[in-house]
Amino acid sequence: MPIASETGFTRQEMILVHLMRFGATTMDSMEMPFSTTCYGMSVSLGISRQHVSKELRILEGKGQVTHRRANISGNGYKMNAYILEREGMERALEADRRNPDAIHGIIFTEETVNVRKARSEINEALRILDDGGKSDRIMANNVVTRLSAAIGFLLKEVT
């Protein structure tokens, strides 16, 4: 019976792999996705904001990430957005190669119909968060609906 398990990623590697999704194209962008902020990473990765902040400071000290003030998609104000540097990208790629089946902090031991459906719902929820939205309440409801569906599919796998 497939079950979600730990990825073996450190918190830093989870952050780097997460930021790798956004590539280098966001560096020149005037607007950055919510998921590139400390709070956005916390929500996406399921790590407390304090831990994300601490790990980002360490990663910046190592020259693996950098931040800049940017407009955040769906918000009317600027926040610190984080971008991978070359060393961070290399470390993220290495971690991703080590755990190719990991998706957003979860490894699925078997690819079933329910796991594929859950993966699709999780990705859609993250897309909604990244795009922002016209209304925070509508966006939040859509994300909760998607994640609830994903949980339902995964519960079918363990029962």
Side-chain angles (χ1 to χ4, degrees):
M1 192 177 321
I3 188 164
S5 67
E6 292 297 319
T7 63
F9 286 159
T10 65
R11 286 184 187 136
Q12 289 180 11
E13 289 170 335
M14 288 175 71
I15 291 168
L16 293 171
V17 170
H18 172 78
L19 287 174
M20 184 175 65
R21 293 181 348 146
F22 301 99
T25 57
T26 56
M27 294 178 82
D28 300 327
S29 176
M30 295 299 288
E31 208 173 63
M32 298 288 284
F34 173 72
S35 289
T36 61
T37 67
C38 182
Y39 184 72
M41 284 183 258
S42 171
V43 171
S44 295
L45 298 172
I47 302 172
S48 75
R49 189 199 51 76
Q50 292 85 358
H51 281 114
V52 171
S53 179
K54 176 185 171 192
E55 299 300 344
L56 285 168
R57 280 193 304 274
I58 294 169
L59 290 168
E60 277 193 290
K62 293 178 179 179
Q64 295 179 1
V65 299
T66 190
H67 76 275
R68 68 178 176 91
R69 299 286 288 173
N71 290 321
I72 304 302
S73 301
N75 292 332
Y77 51 91
K78 290 186 175 190
M79 296 176 72
N80 284 338
Y82 292 84
I83 303 163
L84 283 180
E85 293 290 342
R86 181 184 168 133
E87 283 185 40
M89 180 64 81
E90 290 170 0
R91 185 171 172 199
L93 288 168
E94 187 274 322
D96 195 44
R97 276 192 292 271
R98 194 175 69 239
N99 291 318
D101 296 329
I103 176 168
H104 311 298
I106 300 171
I107 293 178
F108 298 102
T109 58
E110 188 177 327
E111 186 74 17
T112 65
V113 171
N114 286 325
V115 169
R116 282 192 299 276
K117 288 179 181 178
R119 186 185 310 263
S120 174
E121 294 294 341
I122 291 168
N123 285 332
E124 184 61 22
L126 290 172
R127 187 197 61 74
I128 291 168
L129 285 172
D130 291 342
D131 290 347
K134 295 181 181 174
S135 166
D136 287 335
R137 187 174 187 168
I138 292 170
M139 179 182 69
N141 286 336
N142 287 336
V143 169
V144 168
T145 300
R146 296 290 183 172
L147 293 177
S148 295
I151 290 167
F153 290 127
L154 293 175
L155 286 175
K156 288 179 185 178
E157 290 297 310
V158 295
T159 57

